[in-house]
Amino acid sequence: MSEPKPTLGKILVVEDDEHVSYMLNFILQREGYTTEHAADGRVAEQLIASIAPPDLVLLDIMLPYQDGFQLLKNIRTRSAWAKVPVIMLSAKSQEQDIVQALDLGANDYVTKPFQPRELLARIRRSLRDAL
């Protein structure tokens, strides 16, 4: 009987696109992370208010009910969540969107479509930097 693979940490994935969220969860779980998923801003806000902070948040910007910028502001105002690394993952590639996300406290910004190995490297770096 083989030992279960130790988890590398918990990642909250906030993504409304069903295919992208499926792929993210698949990639992350295959690497050894546990995931929690929110498909819209309302669900994400409920999770932020009710669960223990994850090790990292992957956050889309364009979401139903509440956008990623507002969620990021809310994350940064909660003391338990304030230091959780947040990587924005968005199709919005305009400089103003990237600058706004970073100014609001995002640790990194990745545009869609993304390269899975590059995203995993950015996740590993963000988790290392958070230690």
Side-chain angles (χ1 to χ4, degrees):
M1 194 151 140
S2 65
E3 292 284 319
K5 189 174 182 179
T7 182
L8 296 176
K10 182 176 180 178
I11 297 178
L12 173 59
V13 177
V14 183
E15 172 60 59
D16 62 321
D17 183 291
E18 190 176 323
H19 300 292
V20 174
S21 63
Y22 175 83
M23 185 175 62
L24 286 168
N25 283 300
F26 176 81
I27 291 167
L28 294 168
Q29 290 171 10
R30 185 186 64 199
E31 290 295 311
Y33 298 100
T34 57
T35 59
E36 181 92 30
H37 176 249
D40 64 52
R42 190 179 301 154
V43 173
E45 187 60 35
Q46 290 168 350
L47 287 173
I48 292 164
S50 64
I51 67 171
D55 297 293
L56 184 134
V57 177
L58 283 178
L59 181 57
D60 190 9
I61 292 175
M62 296 181 289
L63 296 163
Y65 306 116
Q66 190 172 130
D67 72 22
F69 293 131
Q70 186 60 49
L71 288 169
L72 180 58
K73 286 181 198 174
N74 293 343
I75 286 170
R76 291 300 179 232
T77 60
R78 294 181 176 274
S79 59
W81 287 67
K83 300 292 184 193
V84 173
V86 177
I87 298 177
M88 305 303 285
L89 187 62
S90 179
K92 294 176 78 87
S93 60
Q94 297 288 320
E95 180 186 21
Q96 66 193 29
D97 297 313
I98 298 168
V99 168
Q100 182 179 359
L102 296 172
D103 283 347
L104 289 172
N107 298 79
D108 204 349
Y109 194 105
V110 177
T111 56
K112 297 176 193 172
F114 60 90
Q115 297 299 319
R117 290 188 317 177
E118 178 188 349
L119 179 62
L120 287 168
R122 289 173 181 267
I123 288 169
R124 288 190 300 271
R125 185 196 65 211
S126 291
L127 289 171
R128 260 193 327 269
D129 290 350
L131 295 177

